[in-house]
PDB file of all heavy atoms in Angstrom:
ATOM      1  N   LEU A 429      -8.943   3.252  23.442  1.00 87.00           N
ATOM      2  CA  LEU A 429      -9.531   4.409  22.770  1.00 87.00           C
ATOM      3  C   LEU A 429      -8.463   5.418  22.360  1.00 87.00           C
ATOM      4  O   LEU A 429      -8.561   6.039  21.295  1.00 87.00           O
ATOM      5  CB  LEU A 429     -10.561   5.070  23.679  1.00 87.00           C
ATOM      6  CG  LEU A 429     -11.823   4.247  23.963  1.00 87.00           C
ATOM      7  CD1 LEU A 429     -12.746   5.007  24.904  1.00 87.00           C
ATOM      8  CD2 LEU A 429     -12.559   3.886  22.677  1.00 87.00           C
ATOM      9  N   ASP A 430      -7.442   5.600  23.203  1.00 86.00           N
ATOM     10  CA  ASP A 430      -6.375   6.545  22.850  1.00 86.00           C
ATOM     11  C   ASP A 430      -5.622   6.064  21.610  1.00 86.00           C
ATOM     12  O   ASP A 430      -5.315   6.850  20.714  1.00 86.00           O
ATOM     13  CB  ASP A 430      -5.397   6.689  24.020  1.00 86.00           C
ATOM     14  CG  ASP A 430      -6.006   7.471  25.173  1.00 86.00           C
ATOM     15  OD1 ASP A 430      -7.067   8.091  24.979  1.00 86.00           O
ATOM     16  OD2 ASP A 430      -5.422   7.444  26.275  1.00 86.00           O
ATOM     17  N   GLU A 431      -5.320   4.766  21.576  1.00 82.00           N
ATOM     18  CA  GLU A 431      -4.628   4.225  20.419  1.00 82.00           C
ATOM     19  C   GLU A 431      -5.504   4.307  19.171  1.00 82.00           C
ATOM     20  O   GLU A 431      -5.037   4.640  18.070  1.00 82.00           O
ATOM     21  CB  GLU A 431      -4.215   2.775  20.696  1.00 82.00           C
ATOM     22  CG  GLU A 431      -3.644   2.042  19.495  1.00 82.00           C
ATOM     23  CD  GLU A 431      -2.349   2.636  18.991  1.00 82.00           C
ATOM     24  OE1 GLU A 431      -1.706   3.420  19.725  1.00 82.00           O
ATOM     25  OE2 GLU A 431      -1.971   2.333  17.852  1.00 82.00           O
ATOM     26  N   THR A 432      -6.785   4.007  19.353  1.00 82.00           N
ATOM     27  CA  THR A 432      -7.706   4.082  18.220  1.00 82.00           C
ATOM     28  C   THR A 432      -7.807   5.503  17.682  1.00 82.00           C
ATOM     29  O   THR A 432      -7.806   5.730  16.469  1.00 82.00           O
ATOM     30  CB  THR A 432      -9.094   3.579  18.650  1.00 82.00           C
ATOM     31  OG1 THR A 432      -8.982   2.220  19.089  1.00 82.00           O
ATOM     32  CG2 THR A 432     -10.085   3.662  17.499  1.00 82.00           C
ATOM     33  N   ALA A 433      -7.887   6.474  18.598  1.00 83.00           N
ATOM     34  CA  ALA A 433      -8.006   7.878  18.168  1.00 83.00           C
ATOM     35  C   ALA A 433      -6.789   8.303  17.360  1.00 83.00           C
ATOM     36  O   ALA A 433      -6.912   9.041  16.368  1.00 83.00           O
ATOM     37  CB  ALA A 433      -8.181   8.774  19.389  1.00 83.00           C
ATOM     38  N   LEU A 434      -5.608   7.843  17.759  1.00 79.00           N
ATOM     39  CA  LEU A 434      -4.401   8.197  17.006  1.00 79.00           C
ATOM     40  C   LEU A 434      -4.480   7.678  15.581  1.00 79.00           C
ATOM     41  O   LEU A 434      -4.005   8.327  14.640  1.00 79.00           O
ATOM     42  CB  LEU A 434      -3.165   7.613  17.703  1.00 79.00           C
ATOM     43  CG  LEU A 434      -2.726   8.301  18.991  1.00 79.00           C
ATOM     44  CD1 LEU A 434      -1.569   7.542  19.627  1.00 79.00           C
ATOM     45  CD2 LEU A 434      -2.322   9.748  18.716  1.00 79.00           C
ATOM     46  N   ARG A 435      -5.081   6.514  15.410  1.00 78.00           N
ATOM     47  CA  ARG A 435      -5.177   5.950  14.059  1.00 78.00           C
ATOM     48  C   ARG A 435      -6.329   6.563  13.275  1.00 78.00           C
ATOM     49  O   ARG A 435      -6.220   6.787  12.071  1.00 78.00           O
ATOM     50  CB  ARG A 435      -5.346   4.433  14.150  1.00 78.00           C
ATOM     51  CG  ARG A 435      -4.115   3.731  14.738  1.00 78.00           C
ATOM     52  CD  ARG A 435      -4.349   2.255  14.919  1.00 78.00           C
ATOM     53  NE  ARG A 435      -4.594   1.580  13.642  1.00 78.00           N
ATOM     54  CZ  ARG A 435      -5.065   0.352  13.538  1.00 78.00           C
ATOM     55  NH1 ARG A 435      -5.337  -0.343  14.636  1.00 78.00           N
ATOM     56  NH2 ARG A 435      -5.252  -0.192  12.362  1.00 78.00           N
ATOM     57  N   VAL A 436      -7.447   6.844  13.957  1.00 80.00           N
ATOM     58  CA  VAL A 436      -8.601   7.426  13.251  1.00 80.00           C
ATOM     59  C   VAL A 436      -8.276   8.825  12.758  1.00 80.00           C
ATOM     60  O   VAL A 436      -8.600   9.197  11.625  1.00 80.00           O
ATOM     61  CB  VAL A 436      -9.829   7.460  14.185  1.00 80.00           C
ATOM     62  CG1 VAL A 436     -10.938   8.329  13.594  1.00 80.00           C
ATOM     63  CG2 VAL A 436     -10.352   6.048  14.427  1.00 80.00           C
ATOM     64  N   TYR A 437      -7.597   9.605  13.609  1.00 76.00           N
ATOM     65  CA  TYR A 437      -7.377  11.007  13.280  1.00 76.00           C
ATOM     66  C   TYR A 437      -5.928  11.301  12.891  1.00 76.00           C
ATOM     67  O   TYR A 437      -5.518  12.451  12.888  1.00 76.00           O
ATOM     68  CB  TYR A 437      -7.784  11.892  14.460  1.00 76.00           C
ATOM     69  CG  TYR A 437      -9.270  11.839  14.718  1.00 76.00           C
ATOM     70  CD1 TYR A 437      -9.781  11.123  15.794  1.00 76.00           C
ATOM     71  CD2 TYR A 437     -10.167  12.466  13.867  1.00 76.00           C
ATOM     72  CE1 TYR A 437     -11.148  11.055  16.031  1.00 76.00           C
ATOM     73  CE2 TYR A 437     -11.530  12.407  14.089  1.00 76.00           C
ATOM     74  CZ  TYR A 437     -12.011  11.697  15.175  1.00 76.00           C
ATOM     75  OH  TYR A 437     -13.372  11.642  15.391  1.00 76.00           O
ATOM     76  N   ARG A 438      -5.154  10.252  12.582  1.00 71.00           N
ATOM     77  CA  ARG A 438      -3.773  10.513  12.182  1.00 71.00           C
ATOM     78  C   ARG A 438      -3.777  11.308  10.885  1.00 71.00           C
ATOM     79  O   ARG A 438      -4.655  11.142  10.033  1.00 71.00           O
ATOM     80  CB  ARG A 438      -3.012   9.204  11.994  1.00 71.00           C
ATOM     81  CG  ARG A 438      -3.449   8.384  10.796  1.00 71.00           C
ATOM     82  CD  ARG A 438      -2.615   7.121  10.661  1.00 71.00           C
ATOM     83  NE  ARG A 438      -3.215   6.182   9.739  1.00 71.00           N
ATOM     84  CZ  ARG A 438      -3.065   6.238   8.422  1.00 71.00           C
ATOM     85  NH1 ARG A 438      -2.353   7.198   7.902  1.00 71.00           N
ATOM     86  NH2 ARG A 438      -3.648   5.340   7.641  1.00 71.00           N
ATOM     87  N   SER A 439      -2.823  12.160  10.742  1.00 65.00           N
ATOM     88  CA  SER A 439      -2.722  12.967   9.528  1.00 65.00           C
ATOM     89  C   SER A 439      -1.521  12.490   8.717  1.00 65.00           C
ATOM     90  O   SER A 439      -0.394  12.502   9.199  1.00 65.00           O
ATOM     91  CB  SER A 439      -2.566  14.445   9.900  1.00 65.00           C
ATOM     92  OG  SER A 439      -2.508  15.232   8.737  1.00 65.00           O
ATOM     93  N   GLY A 440      -1.783  12.043   7.505  1.00 64.00           N
ATOM     94  CA  GLY A 440      -0.705  11.569   6.656  1.00 64.00           C
ATOM     95  C   GLY A 440      -0.234  10.176   7.040  1.00 64.00           C
ATOM     96  O   GLY A 440      -0.795   9.519   7.913  1.00 64.00           O
ATOM     97  N   SER A 441       0.804   9.728   6.367  1.00 67.00           N
ATOM     98  CA  SER A 441       1.339   8.389   6.593  1.00 67.00           C
ATOM     99  C   SER A 441       2.576   8.470   7.482  1.00 67.00           C
ATOM    100  O   SER A 441       3.443   9.312   7.282  1.00 67.00           O
ATOM    101  CB  SER A 441       1.702   7.759   5.238  1.00 67.00           C
ATOM    102  OG  SER A 441       2.239   6.474   5.426  1.00 67.00           O
ATOM    103  N   ALA A 442       2.621   7.580   8.486  1.00 70.00           N
ATOM    104  CA  ALA A 442       3.771   7.592   9.388  1.00 70.00           C
ATOM    105  C   ALA A 442       5.021   7.134   8.641  1.00 70.00           C
ATOM    106  O   ALA A 442       4.944   6.298   7.742  1.00 70.00           O
ATOM    107  CB  ALA A 442       3.491   6.662  10.567  1.00 70.00           C
ATOM    108  N   PRO A 443       6.176   7.681   8.989  1.00 78.00           N
ATOM    109  CA  PRO A 443       7.418   7.238   8.343  1.00 78.00           C
ATOM    110  C   PRO A 443       7.647   5.754   8.576  1.00 78.00           C
ATOM    111  O   PRO A 443       7.266   5.210   9.609  1.00 78.00           O
ATOM    112  CB  PRO A 443       8.500   8.079   9.020  1.00 78.00           C
ATOM    113  CG  PRO A 443       7.814   9.080   9.863  1.00 78.00           C
ATOM    114  CD  PRO A 443       6.396   8.686  10.016  1.00 78.00           C
TER     115      PRO A 443
END
Side-chain angles (χ1 to χ4, degrees):
L429 293 179
D430 288 348
E431 172 64 16
T432 300
L434 286 175
R435 294 175 63 193
V436 167
Y437 294 105
R438 69 178 166 83
S439 182
S441 179

